[in-house]
């Protein structure tokens, strides 16, 4: 009887374990998938009386295991909210009922709903992003694709936006297209604005630029108007941005990283084409954010083009990627697929010497079977030699990889080279990182060392043979 009861208890316990395991698997699958919904239960202040402006507009909501986002097309806002589910951090400022304030820079009144939106075309009458309509082109557990579009009749411009969001990804993909429908050549400047919520004093910016030009700042605390200073400045850290100020940078590479040291996480914005949008404008009110009727500390990050001309029916296309990375905030290279860093320890090595290399990598989406191919290039960028290939394994937004490897380079001439690391997965190339490398010839003593060793062995063998012969004679 005891054995029978024991067997029943064990059987029930195993059944419960199996059921719980299945439930956990289902929950994991559910979180990995893209959840999509549309809500219109929130009042959003109508800034104009334009036809189609709604007090309770559709808010498009998407989330997966990494991030949650919201779109507000009826206010022209491409991305209204972006929250990291890895650290519960809200990166974008949003306010459904903002108060108007007088912008001292433009001398116009403005209300800020927050988020991310294009600055062209622009609703000049209400000084707001241009309202767009939307369509859901694709909705599946693996992917959601939204199409947004609007037409500025006065300017004769059509704007189209495609936003895609996928499973197992901490990335939002946005493509914009501006088309000239005016029937004449159109002169324009394209730009976009990201309204950041500075939720921690430990946030700082990484922008790939060498210098910064001061546009204006209260009591010249940043420097005089038009003054050019080296970058980064101490106010690249939010805790040092005390007063209102605006500055401009010309970027070398098309990205901005918002690094949250407290959460060991960062939000990265990447865009293209880089040659068209090289200017980044940083603006904030610092600790005086309430003077501009913001509810929380904010920072504007704007990307701006130089003046462009569009022929009739001509168009301009622009792509932006936002993604969150946790666990890796040191990097030297950025692409729309992730961030990476390589450490050579030193620049100079001897040909044939063991070269240690550390690779650190985090990707915007879950990537499997990630490999690193190590190449040696000349300073002109031409391939000299394929050095090695290493398996890095699985990499994701919250599970970066750090791998130490070593290799030798033989059979080449001494000189100045570039060590290049190409990272790729089954989906294709992800990232290319490189460092300078100088290779020297082996010292003369090392070159003749094998010959000396051979001669020593011959001498020793000769002596031994002679000694044996002498013994035999005795």
């Amino acid at each position: 009887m005891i054995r029978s009861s024991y067997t029943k208890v064990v059987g029930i316990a195993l059944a419960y374990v199996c059921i719980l395991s299945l439930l956990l698997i289902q929950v994991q699958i559910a979180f990995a998938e893209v959840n999509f919904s549309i809500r219109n239960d929130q009042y959003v202040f109508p800034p104009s009386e334009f036809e189609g402006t709604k007090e309770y507009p559709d808010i498009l909501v998407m989330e997966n295991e990494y991030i949650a986002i919201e779109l507000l097309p009826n206010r022209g806002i491409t991305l209204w909210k972006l929250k990291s589910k890895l650290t519960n951090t809200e990166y974008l400022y949003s306010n459904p009922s903002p108060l108007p304030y007088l912008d001292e820079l433009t001398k116009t009144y403005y209300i800020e709903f927050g988020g991310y939106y294009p600055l062209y075309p622009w609703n000049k009458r209400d000084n707001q992003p241009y309202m767009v309509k939307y369509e859901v082109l694709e909705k599946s557990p693996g992917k959601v694709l939204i199409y947004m579009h609007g037409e500025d009749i006065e300017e004769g411009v059509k704007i189209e936006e495609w936003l895609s969001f996928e499973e197992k990804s901490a990335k939002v993909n946005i493509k914009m297209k501006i088309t000239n429908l005016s029937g004449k050549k159109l002169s324009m400047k394209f730009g976009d604005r990201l309204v950041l919520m500075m939720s921690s004093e430990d946030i700082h910016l990484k922008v790939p630029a060498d210098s910064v030009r001061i546009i204006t700042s209260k009591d010249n605390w940043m420097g005089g108007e038009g003054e050019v200073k080296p970058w980064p400045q101490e106010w690249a850290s939010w805790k040092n941005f005390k007063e209102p100020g605006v500055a401009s940078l010309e970027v070398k590479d098309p990205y901005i990283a918002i690094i949250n040291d407290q959460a060991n996480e960062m939000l990265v914005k990447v865009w293209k084409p880089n040659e068209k949008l090289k200017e980044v404008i940083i603006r904030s009110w610092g600790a005086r954010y309430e003077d501009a009727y913001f509810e929380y500390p904010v920072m504007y990050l704007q990307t701006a083009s130089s003046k462009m001309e569009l022929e009739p029916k001509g168009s301009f296309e622009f792509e932006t990627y936002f993604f969150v990375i946790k666990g890796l905030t040191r990097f030297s290279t950025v692409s729309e697929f992730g961030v990476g860093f390589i450490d050579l320890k030193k620049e100079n090595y001897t040909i044939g010497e063991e070269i240690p290399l550390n690779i650190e990598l985090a990707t915007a989406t879950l990537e499997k079977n990630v490999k690193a191919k190590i190449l040696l290039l000349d300073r002109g960028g031409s391939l000299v030699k394929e050095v090695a290939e290493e398996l890095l394994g699985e990499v994701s937004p919250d599970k970066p990889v750090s791998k130490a490897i070593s290799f030798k380079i033989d059979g080449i001439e001494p000189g100045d080279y570039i060590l290049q690391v190409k990272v790729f997965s089954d989906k294709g190339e992800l990232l290319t990182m490189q460092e300078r490398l100088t290779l020297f010839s082996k010292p003369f003593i090392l070159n003749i060392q094998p010959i000396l060793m051979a001669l020593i062995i011959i001498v020793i063998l000769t002596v031994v043979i002679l000694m044996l012969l002498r013994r035999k004679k005795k």
Side-chain angles (χ1 to χ4, degrees):
M1 287 291 291
I2 294 173
R3 184 175 295 176
S4 176
S5 299
Y6 178 76
T7 305
K8 286 181 180 178
V9 170
V10 171
I12 293 169
L14 287 172
Y16 274 116
V17 169
C18 291
I19 292 168
L20 285 171
S21 298
L22 288 171
L23 287 172
L24 284 172
I25 291 170
Q26 289 177 348
V27 168
Q28 288 176 345
I29 292 172
F31 276 118
E33 294 177 346
V34 177
N35 293 316
F36 174 70
S37 61
I38 300 173
R39 64 182 181 91
N40 49 22
D41 57 351
Q42 184 172 9
Y43 173 82
V44 181
F45 175 75
S48 71
E49 297 178 355
F50 276 178
E51 183 181 354
T53 303
K54 299 178 181 178
E55 293 186 353
Y56 290 86
D58 287 354
I59 299 171
L60 284 59
V61 182
M62 292 171 246
E63 67 175 306
N64 61 16
E65 62 186 303
Y66 296 120
I67 60 175
I69 63 173
E70 293 188 7
L71 287 58
L72 188 56
N74 196 253
R75 297 294 182 270
I77 298 172
T78 309
L79 195 60
W80 196 30
K81 295 182 181 181
L82 191 156
K83 180 180 179 180
S84 167
K85 294 174 70 174
L86 301 174
T87 60
N88 202 35
T89 301
E90 187 72 63
Y91 280 99
L92 303 189
Y93 175 84
S94 61
N95 185 357
S97 300
L99 294 173
Y101 72 91
L102 178 62
D103 187 344
E104 295 180 359
L105 198 62
T106 61
K107 306 301 181 184
T108 58
Y109 279 94
Y110 184 66
I111 57 174
E112 182 58 79
F113 291 99
Y116 166 75
Y117 48 84
L119 295 172
Y120 185 88
W122 191 252
N123 179 353
K124 296 176 183 177
R125 174 181 167 182
D126 300 304
N127 200 19
Q128 285 291 299
Y130 209 86
M131 180 178 66
V132 293
K133 299 177 181 178
Y134 76 90
E135 299 173 30
V136 181
L137 297 185
E138 183 177 343
K139 183 179 69 172
S140 70
K143 181 181 179 180
V144 173
L145 176 61
I146 306 297
Y147 172 62
M148 293 172 278
H149 56 96
E151 188 174 333
D152 184 346
I153 297 174
E154 291 182 6
E155 190 80 5
V157 169
K158 181 180 181 180
I159 181 170
E160 298 173 276
E161 303 176 66
W162 294 264
L163 184 146
S164 63
F165 185 56
E166 300 181 7
E167 65 176 342
K168 300 177 182 178
S169 174
K171 181 167 66 170
V172 182
N173 305 282
I174 301 168
K175 179 181 176 181
M176 296 184 185
K177 183 179 180 180
I178 309 292
T179 304
N180 179 8
L181 302 178
S182 67
K184 58 185 179 181
K185 185 181 286 188
L186 187 65
S187 181
M188 57 166 276
K189 285 187 72 173
F190 181 77
D192 61 2
R193 177 180 290 160
L194 180 66
V195 188
L196 287 174
M197 182 165 71
M198 311 307 284
S199 56
S200 166
E201 283 196 344
D202 295 320
I203 291 176
H204 69 276
L205 302 178
K206 183 170 182 178
V207 183
D210 294 324
S211 60
V212 57
R213 178 177 59 86
I214 309 304
I215 296 175
T216 185
S217 62
K218 183 176 176 61
D219 299 327
N220 292 332
W221 75 272
M222 283 180 163
E225 292 187 13
E227 185 178 352
V228 177
K229 293 192 164 192
W231 179 262
Q233 290 285 297
E234 63 174 11
W235 49 263
S237 294
W238 172 244
K239 63 184 177 183
N240 297 321
F241 211 121
K242 301 297 185 184
E243 299 285 346
V246 190
S248 169
L249 304 95
E250 184 173 327
V251 295
K252 297 181 289 185
D253 297 302
Y255 75 83
I256 303 169
I258 300 97
I259 302 172
N260 187 339
D261 290 321
Q262 186 179 48
N264 193 25
E265 184 180 73
M266 61 183 175
L267 173 67
V268 183
K269 178 193 176 189
V270 183
W271 66 89
K272 54 185 177 183
N274 180 34
E275 63 274 8
K276 294 285 188 181
L277 294 106
K278 283 186 169 291
E279 184 182 16
V280 169
I281 298 171
I282 300 173
R283 183 183 186 185
S284 182
W285 290 258
R288 297 176 179 266
Y289 62 92
E290 290 180 333
D291 293 350
Y293 302 115
F294 290 102
E295 293 185 331
Y296 305 99
V298 300
M299 178 179 283
Y300 282 178
L301 292 177
Q302 296 180 195
T303 309
S305 74
S306 54
K307 188 167 285 188
M308 297 186 292
E309 290 192 342
L310 284 182
E311 298 292 336
K313 297 185 180 180
S315 61
F316 169 71
E317 295 185 3
F318 173 66
E319 294 179 48
T320 306
Y321 310 88
F322 292 100
F323 58 87
V324 169
I325 295 292
K326 186 179 187 311
L328 178 62
T329 56
R330 181 179 73 157
F331 61 91
S332 59
T333 307
V334 177
S335 78
E336 64 264 38
F337 304 107
V339 301
F341 178 82
I342 57 173
D343 185 9
L344 258 179
K345 304 299 181 187
K346 59 180 183 177
E347 187 177 329
N348 302 327
Y349 286 90
T350 301
I351 293 173
E353 181 184 355
E354 197 79 24
I355 300 177
L357 177 70
N358 191 59
I359 302 173
E360 296 183 22
L361 176 72
T363 52
T365 62
L366 175 64
E367 301 284 353
K368 296 183 178 180
N369 197 31
V370 178
K371 297 178 182 178
K373 184 177 287 187
I374 301 163
L375 309 171
L376 190 68
L377 313 179
D378 62 26
R379 288 291 168 95
S382 299
L383 178 65
V384 176
K385 187 174 185 177
E386 293 188 9
V387 177
E389 186 173 302
E390 289 286 333
L391 177 66
L392 303 179
E394 186 174 289
V395 189
S396 67
D398 62 335
K399 292 185 177 66
V401 67
S402 178
K403 188 164 187 179
I405 62 174
S406 64
F407 51 86
K408 295 180 181 180
I409 301 178
D410 287 302
I412 62 165
E413 295 294 321
D416 295 326
Y417 294 94
I418 295 172
L419 187 75
Q420 187 178 84
V421 179
K422 282 185 174 293
V423 180
F424 57 96
S425 70
D426 296 334
K427 300 176 186 176
E429 188 174 325
L430 303 175
L431 205 63
T432 299
M433 301 170 280
Q434 57 188 39
E435 288 286 347
R436 290 177 177 269
L437 177 66
T438 299
L439 295 172
F440 294 100
S441 299
K442 293 179 182 178
F444 178 74
I445 188 66
L446 293 179
N447 286 329
I448 66 170
Q449 191 173 20
I451 300 172
L452 290 174
M453 290 298 296
L455 288 173
I456 291 170
I457 292 171
I458 292 170
V459 170
I460 292 172
L461 288 173
T462 303
V463 171
V464 170
I465 292 170
L466 289 173
M467 290 177 65
L468 291 173
L469 290 172
R470 283 183 181 180
R471 285 184 180 178
K472 282 184 178 181
K473 289 180 179 180
K474 290 182 180 179

